[in-house]
Amino acid sequence: MKKTAKIFVLAAALTLGATVLSNAQIVVRIRPSHERIEVRNRPPAPSPRHVWVDEDWRDNGHRGYAWNGGRWEAPPREGSTYVAGHWSKNRHGSVWIAATWR
């Protein structure tokens, strides 16, 4: 009887130890935010051909994203239209789709 009780206590201790040592992880993925809002006057366009590109996020590779202010850009070719970047949801969280010219 004592041997059975010892086995029961040992099994209970191992179960409790395994429960305490298990690592449950919760992953929360949120979009980064820029910390401050800046109000600036838009500088004059360098040429009539340039288009104002609003603030957006730029991918920093494996480091994440960095907030970039607005700027003037020249279209790569005649008749190009600027398509702003945007966040797209997928099953892993949100992904930044970079701006492009079409």
XYZ file of all heavy atoms in Angstrom:
824
model
N 0.824 -1.185 0.000
C 0.000 0.000 0.000
C 0.870 1.251 0.000
O 0.544 2.204 -0.682
C -0.918 -0.045 1.225
C -1.947 1.022 1.254
S -3.109 0.690 -0.066
C -4.315 1.868 0.281
N 1.979 1.224 0.806
C 2.861 2.375 0.853
C 3.528 2.597 -0.500
O 3.737 3.732 -0.919
C 3.938 2.182 1.927
C 3.466 2.430 3.320
C 4.641 2.388 4.260
C 4.221 2.832 5.645
N 5.357 2.906 6.542
N 3.840 1.485 -1.196
C 4.485 1.599 -2.495
C 3.539 2.260 -3.497
O 3.954 3.097 -4.291
C 4.900 0.206 -2.981
C 5.778 0.230 -4.185
C 6.258 -1.168 -4.511
C 7.264 -1.120 -5.625
N 7.781 -2.418 -5.984
N 2.257 1.926 -3.461
C 1.257 2.518 -4.349
C 1.096 4.005 -4.054
O 0.988 4.829 -4.972
C -0.102 1.804 -4.173
O 0.091 0.406 -4.368
C -1.114 2.314 -5.164
N 1.091 4.366 -2.781
C 0.962 5.774 -2.401
C 2.176 6.562 -2.887
O 2.039 7.694 -3.391
C 0.811 5.899 -0.888
N 3.371 5.991 -2.776
C 4.567 6.665 -3.250
C 4.516 6.869 -4.762
O 4.882 7.935 -5.270
C 5.814 5.869 -2.859
C 6.172 5.962 -1.395
C 7.424 5.174 -1.105
C 7.751 5.207 0.382
N 8.953 4.426 0.691
N 4.069 5.853 -5.466
C 3.950 5.958 -6.925
C 2.927 7.036 -7.289
O 3.147 7.850 -8.184
C 3.582 4.592 -7.543
C 4.760 3.628 -7.390
C 3.203 4.753 -9.009
C 4.467 2.215 -7.831
N 1.821 7.093 -6.588
C 0.777 8.095 -6.837
C 1.312 9.505 -6.578
O 1.097 10.429 -7.365
C -0.446 7.803 -5.959
C -1.535 8.808 -6.139
C -2.372 8.766 -7.238
C -1.715 9.825 -5.218
C -3.369 9.701 -7.416
C -2.700 10.768 -5.388
C -3.544 10.706 -6.486
N 2.033 9.695 -5.472
C 2.589 11.005 -5.139
C 3.638 11.412 -6.185
O 3.683 12.567 -6.620
C 3.191 10.997 -3.717
C 3.996 12.252 -3.444
C 2.092 10.828 -2.679
N 4.462 10.473 -6.601
C 5.470 10.761 -7.614
C 4.807 11.140 -8.942
O 5.218 12.103 -9.586
C 6.386 9.546 -7.796
C 7.500 9.706 -8.827
C 8.454 10.822 -8.416
C 8.254 8.402 -9.005
N 3.780 10.408 -9.336
C 3.065 10.719 -10.586
C 2.407 12.093 -10.494
O 2.438 12.867 -11.458
C 2.027 9.642 -10.873
N 1.812 12.414 -9.351
C 1.180 13.726 -9.172
C 2.224 14.838 -9.236
O 1.994 15.886 -9.848
C 0.428 13.761 -7.847
N 3.383 14.622 -8.613
C 4.440 15.637 -8.638
C 4.963 15.847 -10.057
O 5.201 16.988 -10.484
C 5.578 15.226 -7.701
N 5.149 14.773 -10.816
C 5.610 14.900 -12.199
C 4.584 15.625 -13.063
O 4.935 16.465 -13.896
C 5.921 13.526 -12.778
C 7.180 12.848 -12.228
C 7.300 11.428 -12.769
C 8.415 13.653 -12.568
N 3.311 15.317 -12.879
C 2.247 15.980 -13.642
C 2.199 17.469 -13.308
O 2.104 18.313 -14.203
C 0.885 15.327 -13.342
O 0.969 13.927 -13.642
C -0.213 15.967 -14.158
N 2.287 17.790 -12.031
C 2.270 19.195 -11.614
C 3.500 19.929 -12.160
O 3.388 21.041 -12.667
C 2.229 19.300 -10.088
C 2.235 20.724 -9.524
C 0.992 21.478 -9.990
C 2.297 20.702 -8.019
N 4.653 19.300 -12.095
C 5.881 19.909 -12.613
C 5.810 20.143 -14.110
O 6.228 21.177 -14.616
N 5.262 19.185 -14.844
C 5.130 19.339 -16.291
C 4.158 20.454 -16.622
O 4.355 21.203 -17.583
C 4.666 18.025 -16.916
N 3.098 20.609 -15.837
C 2.123 21.675 -16.064
C 2.745 23.038 -15.803
O 2.546 23.974 -16.564
C 0.898 21.480 -15.146
O 0.356 20.182 -15.384
C -0.156 22.514 -15.420
N 3.525 23.159 -14.765
C 4.153 24.428 -14.420
C 5.211 24.800 -15.452
O 5.369 25.970 -15.807
C 4.772 24.360 -13.005
C 5.624 25.581 -12.712
C 3.676 24.224 -11.964
N 5.949 23.833 -15.969
C 7.028 24.099 -16.901
C 6.576 24.272 -18.347
O 7.360 24.677 -19.190
C 8.071 22.981 -16.827
C 8.825 22.885 -15.504
C 9.771 21.691 -15.537
C 9.593 24.160 -15.226
N 5.333 23.959 -18.658
C 4.879 24.098 -20.047
C 4.822 25.571 -20.426
O 4.515 26.431 -19.616
C 3.510 23.443 -20.235
O 2.542 24.157 -19.516
N 5.159 25.883 -21.655
C 5.202 27.258 -22.130
C 4.075 27.501 -23.126
O 4.177 27.104 -24.268
C 6.542 27.557 -22.813
C 7.690 27.564 -21.852
O 7.502 27.912 -20.697
N 8.861 27.178 -22.301
N 3.055 28.159 -22.689
C 1.997 28.569 -23.597
C 2.337 29.961 -24.092
O 2.738 30.817 -23.322
C 0.659 28.568 -22.872
N 2.212 30.188 -25.400
C 2.535 31.484 -25.960
C 1.327 32.069 -26.655
O 0.609 31.370 -27.353
C 3.678 31.372 -26.964
C 4.974 30.978 -26.338
C 6.083 30.891 -27.366
O 5.822 30.810 -28.549
N 7.304 30.904 -26.890
N 1.141 33.347 -26.457
C 0.094 34.079 -27.155
C 0.790 35.132 -27.993
O 1.562 35.933 -27.478
C -0.888 34.747 -26.175
C -1.574 33.673 -25.337
C -1.888 35.604 -26.924
C -2.432 34.231 -24.238
N 0.549 35.107 -29.284
C 1.169 36.064 -30.183
C 0.113 37.075 -30.587
O -0.938 36.717 -31.080
C 1.729 35.368 -31.433
C 2.308 36.382 -32.405
C 2.766 34.338 -31.031
N 0.403 38.335 -30.348
C -0.491 39.422 -30.743
C 0.236 40.244 -31.776
O 1.326 40.743 -31.527
C -0.876 40.301 -29.526
C -1.762 41.443 -29.969
C -1.548 39.462 -28.465
N -0.343 40.383 -32.914
C 0.279 41.164 -33.973
C -0.556 42.416 -34.204
O -1.740 42.326 -34.492
C 0.369 40.359 -35.255
C 1.204 39.107 -35.071
C 1.363 38.387 -36.384
N 1.946 37.094 -36.197
C 3.247 36.856 -36.178
N 4.086 37.837 -36.304
N 3.707 35.645 -36.015
N 0.083 43.552 -34.033
C -0.611 44.812 -34.253
C 0.173 45.653 -35.249
O 1.368 45.483 -35.416
C -0.793 45.616 -32.953
C 0.556 45.908 -32.299
C -1.697 44.898 -31.991
C 0.497 46.860 -31.146
N -0.522 46.552 -35.905
C 0.139 47.461 -36.832
C 0.958 48.463 -36.045
O 0.526 48.941 -35.010
C -0.888 48.228 -37.643
C -1.730 47.371 -38.514
C -2.674 48.261 -39.255
N -3.786 47.484 -39.754
C -4.826 47.994 -40.345
N -4.922 49.286 -40.511
N -5.790 47.230 -40.768
N 2.125 48.795 -36.546
C 2.896 49.825 -35.860
C 2.215 51.182 -36.010
O 1.463 51.412 -36.937
C 4.242 49.809 -36.591
C 3.952 49.186 -37.904
C 2.798 48.256 -37.695
N 2.470 52.065 -35.091
C 1.905 53.407 -35.185
C 3.027 54.418 -35.057
O 4.054 54.158 -34.441
C 0.875 53.644 -34.085
O 1.500 53.611 -32.829
N 2.849 55.564 -35.667
C 3.849 56.610 -35.495
C 3.487 57.377 -34.237
O 2.336 57.601 -33.920
C 3.960 57.518 -36.707
C 2.651 57.965 -37.271
N 1.781 58.786 -36.625
C 2.062 57.680 -38.434
C 0.718 59.000 -37.356
N 0.862 58.333 -38.460
N 4.497 57.763 -33.493
C 4.291 58.304 -32.155
C 3.740 59.721 -32.150
O 3.000 60.098 -31.284
C 5.605 58.285 -31.360
C 6.073 56.895 -30.997
C 6.746 56.188 -32.158
O 7.349 56.855 -33.027
O 6.636 54.961 -32.219
N 4.118 60.526 -33.103
C 3.699 61.913 -33.064
C 3.111 62.320 -34.412
O 3.427 61.743 -35.439
C 4.877 62.811 -32.719
C 5.986 62.766 -33.724
C 7.205 63.550 -33.235
N 8.212 63.671 -34.255
C 9.105 62.752 -34.569
N 9.123 61.609 -33.914
N 9.984 62.949 -35.514
N 2.294 63.320 -34.371
C 1.715 63.862 -35.591
C 2.374 65.206 -35.852
O 2.377 66.082 -34.992
C 0.188 64.026 -35.458
C -0.447 62.655 -35.257
C -0.380 64.733 -36.675
C -1.923 62.713 -34.983
N 2.956 65.337 -37.002
C 3.614 66.579 -37.367
C 2.743 67.329 -38.371
O 2.232 66.747 -39.310
C 4.969 66.302 -38.009
C 5.975 65.707 -37.060
C 7.312 65.487 -37.735
O 7.610 66.173 -38.735
O 8.042 64.619 -37.262
N 2.612 68.617 -38.150
C 1.910 69.457 -39.100
C 2.967 70.296 -39.797
O 3.653 71.093 -39.167
C 0.862 70.352 -38.395
C 0.188 71.263 -39.394
C -0.141 69.495 -37.653
N 3.121 70.068 -41.096
C 4.128 70.789 -41.856
C 3.498 71.339 -43.130
O 2.546 70.763 -43.658
C 5.278 69.869 -42.252
C 6.053 69.355 -41.065
C 7.250 68.566 -41.501
N 6.829 67.377 -42.251
C 7.652 66.595 -42.923
N 8.915 66.874 -42.984
N 7.206 65.534 -43.556
N 4.043 72.419 -43.604
C 3.617 72.946 -44.890
C 4.285 72.144 -45.990
O 5.461 71.801 -45.897
C 4.002 74.424 -45.018
C 3.198 75.287 -44.082
O 2.062 74.965 -43.755
N 3.785 76.381 -43.648
N 3.512 71.856 -47.022
C 4.058 71.118 -48.145
C 5.008 72.034 -48.923
O 4.638 73.136 -49.303
C 2.912 70.664 -49.043
C 3.349 69.817 -50.204
C 2.193 69.437 -51.079
N 1.250 68.609 -50.338
C 0.121 68.142 -50.860
N -0.213 68.434 -52.092
N -0.680 67.402 -50.135
N 6.230 71.581 -49.161
C 7.165 72.417 -49.924
C 6.709 72.524 -51.378
O 5.946 71.689 -51.862
C 8.489 71.658 -49.807
C 8.119 70.260 -49.500
C 6.817 70.305 -48.756
N 7.166 73.535 -52.087
C 6.772 73.668 -53.482
C 7.310 72.512 -54.330
O 8.366 71.952 -54.031
C 7.385 74.995 -53.921
C 8.390 75.337 -52.891
C 8.036 74.607 -51.641
N 6.565 72.171 -55.365
C 6.967 71.068 -56.248
C 8.232 71.431 -57.008
O 8.384 72.568 -57.459
C 5.848 70.750 -57.231
N 9.164 70.473 -57.150
C 10.386 70.747 -57.907
C 10.112 71.036 -59.389
O 10.850 71.764 -60.028
C 11.213 69.472 -57.759
C 10.604 68.722 -56.638
C 9.191 69.166 -56.528
N 9.037 70.430 -59.924
C 8.660 70.670 -61.321
C 7.164 70.389 -61.458
O 6.566 69.734 -60.600
C 9.460 69.759 -62.256
O 8.928 68.446 -62.231
N 6.534 70.849 -62.534
C 5.104 70.554 -62.738
C 4.837 69.063 -62.919
O 3.713 68.598 -62.730
C 4.757 71.320 -64.017
C 5.852 72.287 -64.245
C 7.054 71.754 -63.541
N 5.847 68.316 -63.278
C 5.707 66.868 -63.498
C 5.605 66.083 -62.187
O 5.068 64.988 -62.145
C 6.920 66.407 -64.299
C 6.855 64.993 -64.761
C 7.997 64.693 -65.726
N 7.988 63.285 -65.999
C 8.814 62.403 -65.457
N 9.750 62.801 -64.631
N 8.724 61.134 -65.751
N 6.143 66.602 -61.086
C 6.186 65.884 -59.806
C 4.793 65.745 -59.182
O 3.938 66.602 -59.358
C 7.119 66.594 -58.828
C 8.555 66.283 -59.072
N 9.256 66.804 -60.141
C 9.427 65.506 -58.388
C 10.497 66.358 -60.101
N 10.624 65.569 -59.045
N 4.611 64.644 -58.447
C 3.351 64.315 -57.768
C 3.632 64.211 -56.273
O 4.634 63.625 -55.863
C 2.791 62.965 -58.288
C 1.551 62.546 -57.536
C 2.532 63.046 -59.782
N 2.734 64.772 -55.447
C 2.886 64.662 -53.994
C 2.500 63.270 -53.541
O 1.438 62.759 -53.866
C 2.025 65.694 -53.273
C 2.180 65.613 -51.787
C 1.288 65.084 -50.899
C 3.294 66.062 -51.014
N 1.777 65.173 -49.624
C 3.018 65.771 -49.664
C 4.507 66.676 -51.322
C 3.901 66.084 -48.635
C 5.380 66.972 -50.294
C 5.070 66.680 -48.966
N 3.385 62.637 -52.774
C 3.158 61.302 -52.217
C 2.958 61.477 -50.719
O 3.847 61.980 -50.031
C 4.354 60.373 -52.509
C 4.174 59.038 -51.826
C 4.541 60.208 -54.001
N 1.785 61.075 -50.213
C 1.481 61.222 -48.788
C 2.365 60.337 -47.925
O 3.041 59.430 -48.415
C 0.015 60.874 -48.519
C -0.917 61.986 -48.946
O -0.497 63.160 -48.894
O -2.049 61.673 -49.340
N 2.302 60.594 -46.617
C 3.059 59.805 -45.651
C 2.697 58.331 -45.795
O 1.569 57.982 -46.120
C 2.739 60.248 -44.221
C 3.165 61.654 -43.913
C 2.142 62.709 -44.300
O 1.059 62.359 -44.812
O 2.416 63.885 -44.098
N 3.670 57.473 -45.527
C 3.417 56.038 -45.601
C 4.458 55.280 -44.796
O 5.331 55.864 -44.178
C 3.392 55.549 -47.049
C 4.740 55.712 -47.756
O 5.679 56.281 -47.155
O 4.851 55.280 -48.907
N 4.321 53.974 -44.795
C 5.260 53.091 -44.107
C 6.238 52.526 -45.118
O 5.878 52.209 -46.244
C 4.504 51.929 -43.454
C 3.605 52.353 -42.354
C 2.272 52.585 -42.438
C 3.970 52.611 -41.009
N 1.783 52.974 -41.226
C 2.811 53.002 -40.323
C 5.168 52.564 -40.308
C 2.810 53.317 -38.980
C 5.164 52.879 -38.963
C 3.994 53.252 -38.323
N 7.489 52.364 -44.705
C 8.506 51.720 -45.530
C 9.037 50.510 -44.787
O 9.307 50.564 -43.596
C 9.677 52.669 -45.821
C 9.317 53.830 -46.677
C 9.174 53.393 -48.100
N 8.724 54.546 -48.880
C 8.504 54.508 -50.146
N 8.652 53.401 -50.817
N 8.091 55.573 -50.780
N 9.173 49.413 -45.514
C 9.687 48.176 -44.921
C 11.181 48.331 -44.645
O 11.938 48.725 -45.515
C 9.443 47.023 -45.888
C 9.777 45.675 -45.298
O 10.139 45.612 -44.109
O 9.649 44.678 -46.021
N 11.585 48.016 -43.413
C 12.996 48.065 -43.029
C 13.619 46.677 -43.052
O 14.508 46.375 -42.277
C 13.153 48.642 -41.617
C 13.012 50.128 -41.605
O 13.025 50.770 -42.640
N 12.856 50.701 -40.441
N 13.132 45.811 -43.889
C 13.637 44.440 -43.926
C 13.102 43.660 -42.737
O 11.926 43.717 -42.431
N 13.959 42.953 -42.021
C 13.523 42.145 -40.882
C 13.300 42.973 -39.624
O 12.884 42.450 -38.610
C 14.531 41.024 -40.626
C 15.911 41.530 -40.352
N 16.776 41.886 -41.359
C 16.561 41.759 -39.196
C 17.908 42.301 -40.827
N 17.818 42.240 -39.519
N 13.558 44.279 -39.667
C 13.369 45.127 -38.482
C 11.938 45.610 -38.314
O 11.578 46.124 -37.277
C 14.264 46.340 -38.560
C 15.717 46.033 -38.375
C 16.471 47.314 -38.324
N 17.884 47.072 -38.192
C 18.749 48.013 -37.998
N 18.360 49.264 -37.925
N 20.023 47.728 -37.897
N 11.126 45.548 -39.341
C 9.757 46.045 -39.248
C 9.533 47.191 -40.217
O 10.057 47.196 -41.318
N 8.767 48.165 -39.798
C 8.391 49.273 -40.653
C 8.771 50.606 -40.016
O 8.772 50.740 -38.812
C 6.885 49.256 -40.907
C 6.439 48.035 -41.669
C 5.977 46.901 -41.004
C 6.492 48.007 -43.050
C 5.577 45.779 -41.703
C 6.096 46.887 -43.762
C 5.644 45.783 -43.091
O 5.248 44.675 -43.781
N 9.057 51.580 -40.868
C 9.383 52.923 -40.406
C 8.433 53.901 -41.095
O 8.086 53.736 -42.264
C 10.824 53.274 -40.739
N 8.017 54.925 -40.372
C 7.101 55.931 -40.883
C 7.882 56.958 -41.693
O 8.884 57.486 -41.243
C 6.377 56.593 -39.717
C 5.387 57.619 -40.124
C 5.513 58.966 -39.986
C 4.117 57.397 -40.707
N 4.395 59.586 -40.455
C 3.516 58.652 -40.907
C 3.414 56.260 -41.099
C 2.253 58.805 -41.460
C 2.167 56.409 -41.653
C 1.599 57.655 -41.821
N 7.434 57.212 -42.911
C 8.065 58.205 -43.780
C 7.113 59.342 -44.040
O 5.927 59.123 -44.312
C 8.454 57.585 -45.126
C 9.713 56.792 -45.044
O 10.534 57.014 -44.171
N 9.877 55.857 -45.946
N 7.625 60.541 -43.998
C 6.808 61.711 -44.278
C 6.509 61.845 -45.768
O 7.072 61.148 -46.603
N 5.621 62.786 -46.095
C 5.265 63.019 -47.492
C 6.436 63.601 -48.275
O 7.372 64.172 -47.706
N 6.362 63.466 -49.598
C 7.452 63.923 -50.453
C 6.950 64.086 -51.888
O 5.901 63.563 -52.255
C 8.613 62.940 -50.411
C 8.223 61.568 -50.964
C 9.157 60.474 -50.502
N 8.713 59.171 -50.966
C 7.765 58.452 -50.385
N 7.129 58.911 -49.333
N 7.424 57.273 -50.857
N 7.711 64.788 -52.668
C 7.428 64.923 -54.094
C 8.172 63.821 -54.844
O 9.322 63.542 -54.552
C 7.899 66.281 -54.611
C 7.084 67.423 -54.118
C 7.426 68.298 -53.132
C 5.799 67.821 -54.581
N 6.427 69.215 -52.951
C 5.410 68.951 -53.841
C 4.928 67.337 -55.548
C 4.199 69.596 -54.023
C 3.722 67.983 -55.738
C 3.360 69.095 -54.994
N 7.499 63.185 -55.806
C 8.137 62.157 -56.635
C 7.767 62.386 -58.090
O 6.639 62.771 -58.395
C 7.665 60.744 -56.238
C 8.436 60.133 -55.119
C 8.123 58.648 -54.938
O 7.707 57.979 -55.914
O 8.295 58.169 -53.817
N 8.702 62.091 -58.953
C 8.442 62.162 -60.390
C 7.946 60.795 -60.852
O 8.526 59.764 -60.496
C 9.702 62.538 -61.140
N 6.863 60.736 -61.619
C 6.399 59.449 -62.142
C 7.478 58.791 -63.001
O 8.240 59.482 -63.685
C 5.178 59.817 -62.995
C 4.759 61.156 -62.517
C 5.998 61.830 -62.037
N 7.558 57.452 -62.968
C 8.610 56.769 -63.737
C 8.420 56.900 -65.249
O 9.371 56.830 -66.007
C 8.510 55.315 -63.275
C 7.144 55.175 -62.716
C 6.738 56.523 -62.208
N 7.167 57.076 -65.701
C 6.906 57.236 -67.132
C 5.633 58.061 -67.321
O 4.834 58.207 -66.401
C 6.804 55.885 -67.831
C 5.700 55.009 -67.327
C 5.837 53.571 -67.843
N 5.025 52.683 -67.052
C 5.340 52.196 -65.865
N 6.486 52.494 -65.306
N 4.526 51.400 -65.206
N 5.447 58.573 -68.471
C 4.296 59.411 -68.799
C 2.996 58.629 -68.596
O 2.885 57.463 -68.969
C 4.404 59.859 -70.259
C 3.520 61.009 -70.624
C 3.905 62.300 -69.936
O 5.106 62.530 -69.714
O 2.991 63.073 -69.606
N 2.013 59.243 -67.955
C 0.708 58.610 -67.752
C 0.629 57.686 -66.548
O -0.392 57.029 -66.341
N 1.680 57.599 -65.756
C 1.668 56.732 -64.566
C 0.762 57.328 -63.490
O 0.650 58.541 -63.351
C 3.070 56.583 -63.995
O 3.907 55.919 -64.895
N 0.129 56.449 -62.732
C -0.723 56.849 -61.613
C -0.145 56.272 -60.336
O 0.210 55.093 -60.282
C -2.158 56.313 -61.805
O -2.649 56.772 -63.055
C -3.066 56.761 -60.690
N -0.077 57.096 -59.293
C 0.447 56.647 -57.996
C -0.651 55.915 -57.233
O -1.768 56.404 -57.100
C 0.942 57.848 -57.188
C 1.505 57.462 -55.850
C 2.765 56.908 -55.747
C 0.767 57.636 -54.692
C 3.288 56.546 -54.526
C 1.278 57.276 -53.460
C 2.542 56.732 -53.391
O 3.047 56.368 -52.177
N -0.345 54.723 -56.742
C -1.262 53.940 -55.912
C -0.671 53.893 -54.511
O 0.424 53.358 -54.306
C -1.456 52.511 -56.462
C -2.405 51.711 -55.578
C -1.952 52.553 -57.894
N -1.380 54.489 -53.549
C -0.878 54.589 -52.177
C -0.748 53.210 -51.532
O -1.494 52.281 -51.861
C -1.811 55.463 -51.346
N 0.187 53.105 -50.599
C 0.345 51.868 -49.835
C -0.818 51.682 -48.879
O -1.518 52.632 -48.533
N -1.057 50.439 -48.472
C -2.183 50.149 -47.577
C -1.910 48.854 -46.808
O -1.057 48.067 -47.170
C -3.481 50.030 -48.374
C -3.457 48.924 -49.396
N -2.873 49.084 -50.636
C -3.908 47.648 -49.346
C -2.990 47.952 -51.315
N -3.597 47.071 -50.553
N -2.649 48.707 -45.713
C -2.561 47.494 -44.897
C -3.556 46.474 -45.428
O -4.683 46.806 -45.739
C -2.879 47.795 -43.434
C -1.799 48.561 -42.762
C -1.783 49.894 -42.494
C -0.572 48.038 -42.263
N -0.620 50.241 -41.868
C 0.142 49.126 -41.709
C 0.008 46.769 -42.231
C 1.399 48.967 -41.136
C 1.259 46.634 -41.653
C 1.927 47.712 -41.109
N -3.121 45.231 -45.520
C -3.972 44.137 -45.961
C -3.957 43.061 -44.880
O -2.889 42.663 -44.411
C -3.452 43.566 -47.280
O -4.210 42.457 -47.678
N -5.134 42.602 -44.505
C -5.210 41.552 -43.473
C -5.065 40.183 -44.108
O -5.589 39.921 -45.188
C -6.543 41.628 -42.735
C -6.639 42.809 -41.823
C -7.887 42.727 -40.973
C -7.894 43.895 -40.014
N -9.005 43.821 -39.084
N -4.342 39.310 -43.420
C -4.272 37.906 -43.812
C -4.396 37.063 -42.554
O -4.619 37.589 -41.475
C -2.997 37.606 -44.611
C -1.738 37.751 -43.787
O -1.763 37.735 -42.560
N -0.615 37.900 -44.459
N -4.240 35.771 -42.656
C -4.466 34.903 -41.490
C -3.395 35.047 -40.419
O -3.571 34.607 -39.296
C -4.609 33.452 -41.921
C -3.409 32.886 -42.597
C -3.715 31.508 -43.180
N -2.545 30.979 -43.831
C -1.878 29.937 -43.401
N -2.260 29.289 -42.332
N -0.820 29.511 -44.042
N -2.263 35.695 -40.737
C -1.188 35.870 -39.763
C -1.198 37.249 -39.111
O -0.425 37.493 -38.206
C 0.168 35.646 -40.424
C 0.319 34.282 -41.016
N 0.367 33.132 -40.272
C 0.394 33.885 -42.303
C 0.485 32.094 -41.056
N 0.507 32.521 -42.299
N -2.041 38.136 -39.569
C -2.076 39.504 -39.055
C -2.260 40.483 -40.188
O -2.957 40.202 -41.144
N -1.623 41.628 -40.103
C -1.699 42.646 -41.145
C -0.356 42.770 -41.848
O 0.693 42.693 -41.229
C -2.085 43.996 -40.543
O -3.381 43.936 -40.008
N -0.407 42.974 -43.154
C 0.796 43.098 -43.968
C 0.718 44.414 -44.723
O -0.328 44.774 -45.261
C 0.897 41.933 -44.975
C 2.100 42.096 -45.886
C 0.954 40.612 -44.262
N 1.809 45.141 -44.765
C 1.863 46.409 -45.493
C 2.116 46.127 -46.969
O 3.072 45.465 -47.332
C 2.963 47.305 -44.937
C 3.113 48.584 -45.679
C 4.138 48.944 -46.484
C 2.197 49.684 -45.680
N 3.925 50.190 -46.986
C 2.748 50.665 -46.518
C 0.975 49.921 -45.070
C 2.112 51.887 -46.749
C 0.347 51.138 -45.284
C 0.909 52.091 -46.122
N 1.222 46.619 -47.823
C 1.398 46.552 -49.267
C 1.978 47.899 -49.684
O 1.333 48.936 -49.544
C 0.055 46.298 -49.998
C -0.648 45.047 -49.437
C 0.279 46.201 -51.493
C 0.121 43.774 -49.584
N 3.201 47.885 -50.151
C 3.915 49.123 -50.465
C 3.261 49.870 -51.624
O 2.622 49.276 -52.494
C 5.364 48.806 -50.809
N 3.457 51.181 -51.599
C 2.949 52.027 -52.681
C 3.666 51.686 -53.982
O 4.803 51.199 -53.982
C 3.167 53.489 -52.328
N 2.993 51.950 -55.085
C 3.575 51.647 -56.382
C 3.038 52.601 -57.442
O 2.074 53.336 -57.202
C 3.289 50.183 -56.776
O 4.006 49.876 -57.956
C 1.809 49.935 -56.981
N 3.651 52.593 -58.569
C 3.183 53.366 -59.729
C 2.566 52.395 -60.723
O 3.102 51.342 -60.982
C 4.336 54.100 -60.385
C 4.872 55.230 -59.580
C 5.889 55.179 -58.685
C 4.404 56.569 -59.556
N 6.102 56.408 -58.121
C 5.197 57.279 -58.656
C 3.389 57.245 -60.243
C 4.997 58.636 -58.399
C 3.207 58.594 -59.990
C 3.996 59.272 -59.087
N 1.417 52.765 -61.293
C 0.781 51.937 -62.337
C 0.633 52.736 -63.588
O 0.447 53.910 -63.587
C -0.607 51.464 -61.883
C -0.526 50.397 -60.845
C -1.857 49.721 -60.678
N -1.747 48.782 -59.572
C -2.701 48.493 -58.748
N -3.879 49.056 -58.865
N -2.522 47.644 -57.778
